[in-house]
Amino acid sequence: HEEYLTLKVQELLYLLRFYYAAEELKDFFLPLLSSDVQFHQFVLHNYRKIKTVKEFAELHNCSVSNFDKKFHQTFGTSTFQWMQQQKIKLLYHEINATNKSLRQIAKEQKFLSLPQFNDYCKKHFGYPPGKMRKLASMFRIEKSFL
């Protein structure tokens, strides 16, 4: 039975590597590999509620430097970079997978104006949000004909 189990585990790992990018697998397994599961859960539970690293540190009742150090040990990147990546992922999803108006998305994500939102999207995605949505829609239409 042990050999069969080992073979099945290897099969599962092979399938995971085939279907998911290394970054996605890292994000999925990180809580299991993290030395501080409680801190990891704290971050995932609260990151959408705060805007700055300072707010994060205050919410965790520690200094910014201690929070950054613990964050880097747990996530392997700086707090600021990770927060930026999460914002970019969320924006991409909101633009391409929801029916929310671009104005609503910009407001919910605390952009001061639509031009600022457009500039942010151009910088991080290469296109303004309207064009991103149009391209995603065209891709879905083409894909449905295949």
Side-chain angles (χ1 to χ4, degrees):
H1 291 324
E2 191 174 317
E3 290 175 13
Y4 179 75
L5 182 62
T6 302
L7 190 62
K8 284 298 181 185
V9 168
Q10 289 173 345
E11 179 184 10
L12 174 64
L13 292 174
Y14 174 77
L15 289 171
L16 288 172
R17 280 183 271 158
F18 182 78
Y19 285 105
Y20 297 97
E23 187 67 26
E24 291 172 312
L25 290 172
K26 184 188 99 176
D27 290 344
F28 181 74
F29 285 110
L30 191 62
L32 300 173
L33 303 173
S34 173
S35 60
D36 192 342
V37 175
Q38 286 180 330
F39 181 76
H40 187 271
Q41 292 302 318
F42 167 81
V43 169
L44 294 181
H45 182 71
N46 291 296
Y47 79 92
R48 289 191 180 180
K49 299 174 188 173
I50 53 92
K51 193 170 182 169
T52 66
V53 178
K54 184 178 180 215
E55 289 175 39
F56 231 153
E58 288 171 356
L59 189 61
H60 197 257
N61 295 320
C62 67
S63 70
V64 172
S65 62
N66 283 342
F67 186 85
D68 267 334
K69 198 179 300 180
K70 189 169 190 169
F71 192 95
H72 197 278
Q73 288 171 345
T74 304
F75 288 88
T77 187
S78 77
T79 312
F80 179 79
Q81 288 175 326
W82 187 87
M83 288 172 62
Q84 287 297 107
Q85 290 170 347
Q86 300 315 304
K87 181 177 183 174
I88 290 167
K89 287 178 189 178
L90 177 63
L91 278 177
Y92 186 86
H93 173 77
E94 293 280 303
I95 292 166
N96 293 304
T98 70
N99 291 325
K100 293 179 182 179
S101 72
L102 298 177
R103 184 176 302 279
Q104 182 182 357
I105 295 169
K107 184 178 179 183
E108 288 174 357
Q109 297 307 313
K110 313 257 189 297
F111 285 94
L112 300 176
S113 66
L114 281 177
Q116 183 193 32
F117 180 50
N118 283 341
D119 291 344
Y120 188 90
C121 289
K122 281 188 223 176
K123 178 181 176 186
H124 292 283
F125 305 117
Y127 298 103
K131 185 162 186 173
M132 287 175 61
R133 187 169 269 178
K134 186 175 183 178
L135 290 170
S137 174
M138 289 171 44
F139 178 73
R140 282 190 294 273
I141 291 169
E142 287 178 17
K143 192 175 176 184
S144 68
F145 284 112
L146 297 177

